[in-house]
Amino acid sequence: MTLITSGTCVGVLYRASAGASCINGYCVHIHNGRLVGGVISPNAGTLTVTRSIDNTKLQTYNGILLSHRAVNKTTGQVTQQYLYFRKNQLEKVKVTPYTQYSDPSCQRENHYNIPDIIYPGECVGIRYRAGDEWHIGNGRYLYWTSQVNHCIFDERPQSTNRQFLRQIWYVHWILDPNNERNIITQKISRGRGSPRGERRIYAFKNLLPANGETVLVKAASPVNSASWPFRIIYQREKQIVILNAITTPILHLVSSQNPTNRSRST
C-alpha cells in the first residue's frame, strides 16, 4: 500500500484521446498538479472524495480529483481548475519528488494561504511567454536564480525578486520517451536565463477547495469538456470531502464539451 494524502504534488498518467500521445493505438496524456482525493461514490448531485488514495489500487476508486492551473494561450489569463479523472482512464498517480532536485539550503515549506510568496516544495503553475503565446507548466517549485540560487520567490509588488530573476526551477512528470506506459520526472527552468529564453514569468499556487466553497469541476478528457459548479463540504471526522452539485450531475463531466475552451496546461 502506498498512500498519497490530499494536498500532495502529483503527476497523473491517464488514457485520453484529444491531445494525447498515441503509440500502437495506446493513447495517453499526463497532468501535473495537487491531489484533492479519490472519488468513491459519484451520485447525481454528490461526489464523495477520500483525503488520501492508495496509488496501487486506483481501480477501487470511481476516479480522482486534481487541482492544477491552466492558461488561455491568447490572453494569458490563468484559471484554477479541478480535474476529474474516471477510473477507466487512470494508469498511474505518482508523488512529485523534491529532495533530489532541490537546492540543499532550501527547506520545504507549505504556506498556501500566502498567495504572492512561493515557498520551496509547493505545487505551482508557472506561466510564461514563448513566441506569441502564453504557456503554463504545473509542477513542484524548487528555487529561483539570479547570479545565485534563492529559495523563496517573492512576487509582491514591493519585492525586487522579479527584477533579478533569470530562471525559476521546478520538477514535474513527463511521458517516458522509451515507454508509453510510464512517466519520469524532469527538472526544468523557465526564464530569460533558460535555453528557451521565456519571458514574463509568474507563479501561481495550486489551491485546494475550502469547506463550503463552490468550485468548477471538469472532466480531464476530452480537453474541451465543460466545467460545472460544485459546493465542497469537508467532513473532517470521517476524513472525506463531499462535493454537492449546484445544478448538474457528475455524469455531465464525462460527456459535455465546450468548443470555446482554449486553455492549455500540463
Side-chain angles (χ1 to χ4, degrees):
M1 177 183 293
T2 304
L3 289 179
I4 304 176
T5 59
S6 178
T8 301
C9 305
V10 296
V12 180
L13 178 68
Y14 65 101
R15 297 291 296 271
S17 52
S21 173
C22 297
I23 301 176
N24 299 323
Y26 181 81
C27 300
V28 293
H29 194 54
I30 187 169
H31 274 307
N32 288 272
R34 192 178 178 202
L35 178 69
V36 177
V39 180
I40 57 175
S41 60
N43 301 311
T46 301
L47 287 180
T48 304
V49 183
T50 64
R51 294 306 305 268
S52 64
I53 64 169
D54 182 347
N55 71 348
T56 66
K57 298 179 180 179
L58 294 177
Q59 295 306 307
T60 62
Y61 308 98
N62 289 93
I64 67 167
L65 287 178
L66 181 76
S67 164
H68 89 152
R69 294 284 183 163
V71 68
N72 184 296
K73 66 178 183 179
T74 302
T75 67
Q77 180 180 3
V78 174
T79 55
Q80 169 67 60
Q81 289 188 340
Y82 298 98
L83 299 182
Y84 175 73
F85 300 83
R86 304 186 308 275
K87 73 174 182 179
N88 63 352
Q89 295 177 296
L90 291 171
E91 293 290 329
K92 295 178 184 290
V93 180
K94 289 191 172 184
V95 175
T96 307
Y98 173 79
T99 303
Q100 60 265 49
Y101 296 102
S102 66
D103 184 314
S105 65
C106 297
Q107 300 297 315
R108 282 182 293 180
E109 298 185 57
N110 292 322
H111 300 287
Y112 287 96
N113 60 322
I114 305 175
D116 297 326
I117 302 179
I118 311 301
Y119 293 87
E122 291 186 322
C123 315
V124 297
I126 306 293
R127 186 188 70 168
Y128 57 93
R129 185 85 168 167
D132 296 328
E133 292 185 345
W134 290 99
H135 301 266
I136 198 164
N138 287 270
R140 194 167 192 176
Y141 169 69
L142 299 172
Y143 55 88
W144 68 276
T145 61
S146 54
Q147 298 299 319
V148 297
N149 292 348
H150 305 269
C151 300
I152 297 172
F153 185 49
D154 189 344
E155 294 195 303
R156 292 176 298 177
Q158 65 269 32
S159 171
T160 60
N161 284 184
R162 187 173 303 284
Q163 177 183 348
F164 298 101
L165 173 67
R166 288 186 54 79
Q167 294 169 276
I168 187 167
W169 290 87
Y170 64 102
V171 59
H172 65 168
W173 292 94
I174 62 171
L175 293 174
D176 185 342
N178 300 313
N179 181 357
E180 68 273 17
R181 296 174 183 266
N182 190 39
I183 57 178
I184 58 176
T185 52
Q186 179 190 55
K187 180 180 179 181
I188 192 169
S189 70
R190 305 293 181 186
R192 55 190 173 90
S194 74
R196 296 156 299 277
E198 299 94 348
R199 316 181 309 279
R200 302 174 70 180
I201 310 299
Y202 289 86
F204 300 83
K205 300 187 183 190
N206 298 150
L207 304 178
L208 293 185
N211 188 37
E213 181 183 2
T214 298
V215 299
L216 294 176
V217 179
K218 73 185 296 290
S221 180
V223 294
N224 57 357
S225 298
S227 297
W228 301 97
F230 286 78
R231 186 169 66 91
I232 302 169
I233 300 173
Y234 288 85
Q235 293 188 346
R236 298 179 185 277
E237 68 277 6
K238 295 182 180 180
Q239 290 296 290
I240 62 173
V241 183
I242 296 179
L243 292 92
N244 296 315
I246 302 299
T247 57
T248 311
I250 187 62
L251 295 178
H252 287 188
L253 295 178
V254 179
S255 59
S256 299
Q257 298 186 17
N258 177 6
T260 62
N261 190 320
R262 298 182 51 140
S263 293
R264 288 185 176 180
S265 59
T266 60

